[in-house]
Amino acid sequence: MSAIVVVGGQWGDEGKGRIVDLLAQKAKLVARYSAGNNAGHTIINELGEFKLHLVPAGIFYPDKLCVIGNGVVVDPPVLLKEIADLEERDVSVRGRLFLSDRSHVIMPWHRLIDELDEKLRGEGAIGTTGRGVGPAFIDKVGRAGVRVADIVDSEALLSLLSFLVPYKNAVLERLYGSDPLDLDAIASEYSDYGARLAPFVSDTSALVQQALEAGDTVLLEGAQGSLLDLDSGTYEYVTSSVPSSLAAGAAIGMGIGPTQIGTVLGVYKAYNTRVGNGPMPTELHDDTGRLLREGGPRPEYGSTTGRPRRCGWFDAVAARYSARINGLSSAALTRLDVLDPLPVIRVCTAYRVYGETIATMPASSAAMAAAEPVYKELPGWRQDTAGVRHFEDLPVEAQSYVRFIEDVLGVPICLVSVGPEREQAIRLERII
Ligand code: GDP
Ligand code: IMO
Ligand code: MG
């Protein structure tokens, strides 16, 4: 059996968590392969509503194994709290959750530098989640990171920190004019985290390989969205994840080969949202924008930071681009129900940039910021879709809208969701 990767096709928060939760019913192992606790994945089930930041969405099925792969950066107190919160709500975690010994650790200076760096950028701030994720990836690439294997060995940790803390203090004091950090306090705090996380730590690459060799279904849960990717996204307003959250990053972030990935499923919202700064050609500042944010169950506020999400029409230029860079085999369309009250729905099919009409995303941030959307108008359906479970029971205008998005993407839509609950989904094609 090969692995299935689930990626976000827009700027994040497409509903990856709820789609992975749905597909996990048929999987044996569910894993996160990139990013950190900048991600916030919402899952609603019989136990209530959960917002997962690090633990994979498969955790709610007691027979599934869950893996945090080597490509993820982990903030130990955040992971320990997430585990404690799950256990408090009767979700079994021990013996089922595995953390890679190669994962990098978010250290106190990463959170500080995230905040200080944003201040330094001033007007040009990225609008990060402030979780220290970017600085942790920068140190990973700069060969100045701390890994899980280091915090579970207190002697190795002390020796590493004896170099890193004075080095980071020089940066904090001289560049940012900030107070220095205390080496001994950090060594003691992080070796304590190491001891508490030790029961979860494992060679997760071997674990996933074994599952694949045994013919088990493995689901790889992406974070963020393709347009936030460091290489292909709206740079510099992107996230710093290495490996990328694109489908191609899943192999590296998991410790498997690309030939072991068989299916790539892209998740798209029926319109667009973005949190943080950076260009978003279809953003609306009017009543329709407010309706998209506030309408329907689960209004559009960030799952990690609570910030209001910027909302606008579906951007088909960006969607087609993200379908290609991920090599999608199929797609899921979420939050269709939010469009229910609209008389007319618009889809951006091209950009006007400096007087020219283009159908691809420009690399230049200035050109992207200047891009004006060219819209196609489609009729709305003005009917409640929340209770629909079969495609042919959707209003014809809603069916046409789904088919239009399918054409734009150039891949079949296998699933449409019409509400945040697990069962509020319409299956069009078999995925697993
Ligand atoms: P993720 O980061 O991609 O997992 O997405 P988030 O969980 O951050 O944001 C998606 C939001 O949409 C959550 O509040 C979900 O509960 C909600 N949601 C998912 N699918 C649907 C849907 O079909 N309809 C509605 N109304 N809400 C949905
Ligand atoms: P999920 O997995 C939406 C955005 C931030 C900011 C930029 C960089 O829930 O879809 P960072 O803290 O990563 O350095 O911030 O990326 N961002 C997300 N936006 N959903 C996410 O994750 C995001 N993770 C990061 O808002 O614009
Ligand atoms: Mg989210």
Side-chain angles (χ1 to χ4, degrees), residues 68-323:
I68 299 176
N70 55 274
V72 179
V73 290
V74 174
D75 191 332
V78 173
L79 178 56
L80 286 163
K81 181 163 186 320
E82 199 159 300
I83 292 170
D85 288 349
L86 285 165
E87 288 182 332
E88 200 172 293
R89 293 173 74 182
D90 292 330
V91 180
S92 80
V93 178
R94 270 152 224 276
R96 300 207 292 122
L97 177 68
F98 301 91
L99 167 64
S100 171
D101 44 10
R102 290 186 162 82
S103 291
H104 277 246
V105 176
I106 296 182
M107 299 299 290
W109 51 85
H110 294 136
R111 282 187 302 265
L112 271 173
I113 291 173
D114 200 346
E115 190 188 319
L116 294 164
D117 222 33
E118 284 284 87
K119 279 199 191 126
L120 261 184
R121 283 176 181 267
E123 288 280 290
I126 307 297
T128 72
T129 58
R131 299 299 189 266
V133 170
F137 278 118
I138 291 168
D139 276 351
K140 173 180 178 179
V141 177
R143 295 166 293 189
V146 175
R147 297 188 303 165
V148 167
D150 302 316
I151 63 164
V152 294
D153 174 347
S154 46
E155 262 179 48
L157 179 65
L158 191 59
S159 128
L160 187 57
L161 291 180
S162 305
F163 157 67
L164 283 178
V165 175
Y167 166 39
K168 290 294 164 184
N169 277 344
V171 174
L172 284 170
E173 290 183 286
R174 291 183 214 163
L175 174 61
Y176 297 100
S178 186
D179 292 336
L181 296 165
D182 185 280
L183 195 160
D184 292 336
I186 294 176
S188 140
E189 186 183 345
Y190 280 75
S191 54
D192 176 53
Y193 294 143
R196 289 162 65 195
L197 285 173
F200 300 96
V201 176
S202 133
D203 175 355
T204 55
S205 163
L207 199 71
V208 177
Q209 296 284 359
Q210 277 161 22
L212 288 167
E213 276 161 29
D216 294 332
T217 300
V218 168
L219 257 181
L220 306 180
E221 176 179 351
Q224 282 102 54
S226 307
L227 306 176
L228 287 169
D229 175 61
L230 194 55
D231 276 86
S232 306
T234 47
Y235 195 86
E236 66 280 21
Y237 297 98
V238 292
T239 186
S240 302
S241 199
V242 179
S244 153
S245 289
L246 296 182
I252 294 168
M254 222 53 255
I256 61 174
T259 49
Q260 289 173 292
I261 295 173
T263 304
V264 182
L265 172 71
V267 185
Y268 292 81
K269 253 179 223 189
Y271 49 94
N272 267 70
T273 64
R274 175 164 203 169
V275 235
N277 302 329
M280 178 180 173
T282 64
E283 182 173 12
L284 295 170
H285 297 282
D286 58 7
D287 284 348
T288 307
R290 270 186 294 283
L291 186 142
L292 294 175
R293 181 160 55 246
E294 307 296 339
R298 304 301 184 286
E300 293 283 12
Y301 289 84
S303 311
T304 298
T305 57
R307 292 176 290 178
R309 293 176 181 150
R310 301 156 62 192
C311 296
W313 298 118
F314 190 90
D315 184 337
V317 177
R320 192 182 312 115
Y321 172 76
S322 74

Side-chain angles (χ1 to χ4, degrees), residues 8 12-18 39-44 49 51 221-222 224 267 269 271 295-304 309 333-338 416-421 424:
D13 306 325
E14 297 88 352
K16 298 173 292 294
R18 69 87 39 98
H41 297 179
T42 314
I43 287 117
I44 299 169
E49 179 167 340
K51 291 193 188 295
E221 176 179 351
Q224 282 102 54
V267 185
K269 253 179 223 189
Y271 49 94
R298 304 301 184 286
E300 293 283 12
Y301 289 84
S303 311
T304 298
R309 293 176 181 150
L333 193 67
T334 62
R335 297 185 69 104
L336 187 73
D337 55 300
V338 176
V416 175
S417 77
V418 288
E421 314 272 337
Q424 288 183 296

